[in-house]
Amino acid sequence: MKYSIFYINNKIITIIFLLLIMISKSAFSDFTKTWNIASPSVVSVLPTWPGYEKPGFGAPAGTAPEGTGVILSDQGLIVTASHVVSRATEVIIRDFKGNKYKSEIIFDDPGTDLAVIKTNIKNKKIIINEIRPDVGSEICLISNSFGLDLNITCGIVSANRKSGIGFNPIEDFIQIDASANPGSSGGAVVNAKGELVGIMSGIFTKESDTNVGVNFAISAELLIKTVKHLIKQ
């Protein structure tokens, strides 16, 4: 009888262990699907700054030498952060396959920290979800962190409708704790379905520009309000 109880208990433990593995794999595959859906619509943005002949040099203090952008339309319109490209003499786009494209800045709004660039890229546009994600819901950031090419970090929505932070004159932020670093500006903040809910804008820190888990993304609502006249053209 003791042997039977021991055998049954071990069997139960094994079943629980297997269920935990299945749950863990399911959670991981959610972010894998998020990456697969959204990453083809995200690009690295390589600005060339005045006085330099190629990207990666001469960025103003507090500005990363590279950034990120998100494809908004089939006409090759890409949104990024204004501070990534505002002073650039040339902007090169690098997609998730490593292909590079020349582009031109067609819209720049420092007030919201949004800019739109245009190129002949044929990658699919991202799906935008204007419904604001709930506080506590899972989100991911796909960006060109530290200029190391596209990568994904995930976390939760920490707060909503944040303004008066001091980054931009016009602010409607979603606060996230997904890791963000120099180069992440202009990155795609997406929900688990890979739908765009925000554009990465600012990292809140006292000592450096590296991540401390208090990061701010421009809401999709403000994005659409700012650039809808371009998307409809």
Side-chain angles (χ1 to χ4, degrees), residues 147-161:
L148 297 174
D149 219 338
L150 298 182
N151 53 76
I152 185 170
T153 59
C154 297
I156 63 168
V157 175
S158 303
N160 236 322
R161 300 187 185 280

Side-chain angles (χ1 to χ4, degrees), residues 25 81 117 166:
K25 285 185 176 179
I117 51 185

Side-chain angles (χ1 to χ4, degrees), residues 13 29 31 38 75 107 110-111 118 121 134 138 155 173 181 187 210:
I13 291 171
S29 66
F31 295 140
Q75 290 74 44
F107 176 79
K118 186 173 184 178
I121 195 169
D134 293 331
E138 290 181 329
F173 285 137
N181 294 288
T210 53

Side-chain angles (χ1 to χ4, degrees), residues 116-188:
V116 176
I117 51 185
K118 186 173 184 178
T119 186
N120 62 352
I121 195 169
K122 300 300 181 183
N123 297 25
K124 71 172 186 177
K125 65 181 180 180
I126 203 159
I127 297 172
I128 302 174
N129 189 337
E130 291 186 69
I131 300 175
R132 201 174 292 258
D134 293 331
V135 173
S137 62
E138 290 181 329
I139 48 82
C140 292
L141 169 64
I142 300 177
S143 70
N144 177 28
S145 183
F146 284 115
L148 297 174
D149 219 338
L150 298 182
N151 53 76
I152 185 170
T153 59
C154 297
I156 63 168
V157 175
S158 303
N160 236 322
R161 300 187 185 280
K162 301 292 287 185
S163 61
I165 307 300
F167 286 112
N168 311 320
I170 302 172
E171 295 179 341
D172 180 9
F173 285 137
I174 298 170
Q175 183 181 329
I176 64 173
D177 73 349
S179 181
N181 294 288
S184 294
S185 293

Side-chain angles (χ1 to χ4, degrees), residues 6 33 43 98 115 126 148 177 197 208 227:
F6 177 79
K33 185 177 180 181
V43 297
I126 203 159
L148 297 174
D177 73 349
V197 297
S208 69
V227 306

Side-chain angles (χ1 to χ4, degrees), residues 189-200:
V189 177
V190 298
N191 59 22
K193 297 179 181 179
E195 299 168 335
L196 186 74
V197 297
I199 296 293
M200 185 64 204

Side-chain angles (χ1 to χ4, degrees), residues 7-228:
Y7 176 78
I8 293 171
N9 286 342
N10 273 279
K11 193 171 183 180
I12 292 172
I13 291 171
T14 301
I15 292 172
I16 292 173
F17 179 72
L18 291 173
L19 286 172
L20 289 173
I21 290 176
M22 291 174 65
I23 292 171
S24 176
K25 285 185 176 179
S26 175
F28 178 76
S29 66
D30 284 345
F31 295 140
T32 301
K33 185 177 180 181
T34 302
W35 168 262
N36 290 337
I37 292 172
S39 62
S41 303
V42 184
V43 297
S44 299
V45 177
L46 289 61
T48 298
W49 295 95
Y52 294 83
E53 296 181 357
K54 59 181 180 180
F57 302 91
T63 301
E66 294 188 12
T68 314
V70 184
I71 301 172
L72 293 182
S73 77
D74 297 325
Q75 290 74 44
L77 296 182
I78 297 170
V79 64
T80 186
S82 171
H83 70 265
V84 171
V85 298
S86 60
R87 291 182 54 201
T89 58
E90 183 183 45
V91 180
I92 300 295
I93 300 303
R94 183 178 65 230
D95 70 10
F96 74 113
K97 293 182 179 179
N99 300 313
K100 293 184 178 180
Y101 306 84
K102 289 185 177 181
S103 67
E104 62 174 324
I105 302 170
I106 64 169
F107 176 79
D108 184 24
D109 181 23
T112 59
D113 193 31
L114 289 169
V116 176
I117 51 185
K118 186 173 184 178
T119 186
N120 62 352
I121 195 169
K122 300 300 181 183
N123 297 25
K124 71 172 186 177
K125 65 181 180 180
I126 203 159
I127 297 172
I128 302 174
N129 189 337
E130 291 186 69
I131 300 175
R132 201 174 292 258
D134 293 331
V135 173
S137 62
E138 290 181 329
I139 48 82
C140 292
L141 169 64
I142 300 177
S143 70
N144 177 28
S145 183
F146 284 115
L148 297 174
D149 219 338
L150 298 182
N151 53 76
I152 185 170
T153 59
C154 297
I156 63 168
V157 175
S158 303
N160 236 322
R161 300 187 185 280
K162 301 292 287 185
S163 61
I165 307 300
F167 286 112
N168 311 320
I170 302 172
E171 295 179 341
D172 180 9
F173 285 137
I174 298 170
Q175 183 181 329
I176 64 173
D177 73 349
S179 181
N181 294 288
S184 294
S185 293
V189 177
V190 298
N191 59 22
K193 297 179 181 179
E195 299 168 335
L196 186 74
V197 297
I199 296 293
M200 185 64 204
S201 180
I203 301 170
F204 193 86
T205 177
K206 292 183 178 180
E207 302 298 332
S208 69
D209 287 333
T210 53
N211 175 71
V212 293
V214 184
N215 305 312
F216 295 92
I218 300 163
S219 70
E221 185 179 346
L222 180 56
L223 167 65
I224 293 298
K225 182 180 179 180
T226 305
V227 306
K228 64 181 178 181

